[in-house]
Amino acid sequence: MTYLKTLALSLPAAMLATAALADGETIAVFTKNHTNPFFQTIRVGADAAAKALNAKTIHYIPTKPDSIPEQLSQIEDVVVKKPSAIVFVPVDYKAMVPGVEKINDANIPVVNTTDRSAGGKFLAFIGADDYSLGLETARYMLKAMGGKGNVVIIEGVKGSLTNVDRVRGFNEAIKEFKEVKLLASQPANYQRLQALQVMENLMQSHQKIDGVLAANDAMAIGAIEALDGANRKALIVGINGTKEAVDAIKTGKLLASGDYNGFLQGCIGTMVAIRALRKEAIVTEVVLKPTVIDKTNYQPYDTALETRSCPKWDEAAAMATKTN
């Protein structure tokens, strides 16, 4: 059951020892890479929330996509610089737990977004149900195929939480359609170029591919490029609702994209961090519902990120999904 949960903030005094209690706070925002447009939506959302609340952001982004050593090094840096709070997307939900524990030891409040960390202490989790996202997006494509045909899955990073859950959703949807055959399921690490290469190899092995389930939009675009290069066609879906995906939906290259609103995740995660510092009521968990974006409903997503606005706090709090 979905219900609203807000609570009076009662952070340990030590966690607030280094935090500002008025405006002007500095929020360090950690994301996974420069290559996936989804993380840019999180960063822009965080910037918008901070600006609206008279705070500021600094961004920590590994130069090598999803690099565990580099994000650990960035944590060492942020612990020394001691921002007011942190909004944190782990590059690996298990491997980054020691880094989160260092942040905890430094008494810097931290909000977990997108990938739920396997450990550490957080003010809140702001993210999505990746299983439902994969399930609903795959169902949409398989229905569009008429419930029959050959499909392939292009996975993200093997073992990553988002990939495990999205691919699990894909596979559950395929089981619902008895005349759909899964030909292959291969990783492309959420990278466009790798997906292009994977799709080229899959087309060499399989003469008839009717549908492609890609675990993010960047890989879906890579698959489109591979199909175009071979003058072949298939229905394709991605995940993330990026501007590039919306453009591809408009031209008919991409059937749909599942979305859980990275802009909103950045907004709410940063709002929670700042409100906690100001000893205002926060929410402890927001799990956003999936939306399948297609040619009938893409218009709200067809806008520049920089022109979007964060929700008011009451609207954000109404999305809360869990109590402690």
Side-chain angles (χ1 to χ4, degrees):
M1 181 177 67
T2 298
Y3 54 92
L4 171 66
K5 196 279 183 181
T6 60
L7 74 162
L9 178 64
S10 57
L11 284 175
M15 289 189 72
L16 291 173
T18 61
L21 297 179
D23 60 11
E25 299 92 340
T26 299
I27 310 300
V29 181
F30 282 70
T31 46
K32 292 186 180 184
N33 56 59
H34 289 281
T35 55
N36 186 340
F38 174 75
F39 295 108
Q40 177 65 6
T41 69
I42 292 179
R43 292 190 285 268
V44 174
D47 291 348
K51 183 178 180 181
L53 295 172
N54 198 29
K56 60 183 178 182
T57 56
I58 54 174
H59 291 280
Y60 285 85
I61 311 164
T63 56
K64 181 180 179 182
D66 298 25
S67 169
I68 292 171
E70 195 170 349
Q71 192 172 70
L72 284 171
S73 175
Q74 290 175 337
I75 287 175
E76 298 282 354
D77 180 69
V78 86
V79 164
V80 172
K81 293 181 177 175
K82 285 191 176 296
S84 308
I86 294 172
V87 173
F88 188 73
V89 181
V91 297
D92 183 292
Y93 76 109
K94 290 181 179 177
M96 295 314 300
V97 171
V100 175
E101 291 172 345
K102 287 186 178 180
I103 294 170
N104 293 155
D105 290 342
N107 296 318
I108 303 172
V110 55
V111 176
N112 184 196
T113 61
T114 307
D115 289 26
R116 194 188 294 269
S117 175
K121 298 175 183 177
F122 295 93
L123 294 170
F125 172 73
I126 312 297
D129 178 352
D130 282 285
Y131 168 75
S132 296
L133 192 64
L135 180 69
E136 296 301 329
T137 307
R139 279 175 173 166
Y140 182 89
M141 189 190 79
L142 299 175
K143 288 178 182 175
M145 290 171 53
K148 58 185 178 181
N150 297 330
V151 302
V152 297
I153 294 174
I154 302 180
E155 301 187 26
V157 177
K158 281 282 190 183
S160 70
L161 189 58
T162 55
N163 185 64
V164 169
D165 286 347
R166 290 175 192 179
V167 172
R168 185 163 60 90
F170 288 165
N171 281 300
E172 286 301 312
I174 291 171
K175 291 178 183 176
E176 296 174 356
F177 296 87
K178 303 304 180 186
E179 296 183 68
V180 171
K181 181 179 180 181
L182 176 61
L183 299 175
S185 186
Q186 296 185 8
N189 298 315
Y190 290 131
Q191 301 300 311
R192 179 173 177 163
L193 179 58
Q194 290 184 39
L196 185 153
Q197 295 166 339
V198 166
M199 192 66 203
E200 286 177 340
N201 292 335
L202 288 171
M203 286 190 294
Q204 290 180 1
S205 303
H206 305 284
Q207 292 303 309
K208 187 174 185 299
I209 297 174
D210 304 296
V212 180
L213 296 160
N216 80 348
D217 286 338
M219 297 192 298
I221 299 299
I224 289 171
E225 292 170 338
L227 284 160
D228 284 350
N231 197 27
R232 288 175 60 170
K233 295 189 181 299
L235 295 181
I236 305 174
V237 293
I239 284 178
N240 285 157
T242 62
K243 182 66 169 63
E244 193 172 30
V246 171
D247 289 342
I249 289 170
K250 289 165 61 179
T251 62
K253 292 284 188 181
L254 184 69
L255 178 66
S257 175
D259 179 52
Y260 54 52
N261 208 324
F263 180 82
L264 201 54
Q265 290 187 35
C267 285
I268 299 176
T270 303
M271 292 163 77
V272 167
I274 294 171
R275 288 179 65 88
L277 293 167
R278 297 178 185 178
K279 297 186 176 180
E280 297 173 330
I282 64 169
V283 297
T284 55
E285 182 175 286
V286 175
V287 178
L288 297 167
K289 295 180 179 178
T291 298
V292 177
I293 304 168
D294 65 6
K295 62 183 178 183
T296 69
N297 66 351
Y298 69 81
Q299 289 85 356
Y301 300 87
D302 191 24
T303 59
L305 282 173
E306 289 72 15
T307 65
R308 300 180 189 180
S309 299
C310 291
K312 296 178 181 178
W313 176 248
D314 288 348
E315 296 169 334
M319 301 175 196
T321 50
K322 185 180 178 182
T323 59
N324 283 338

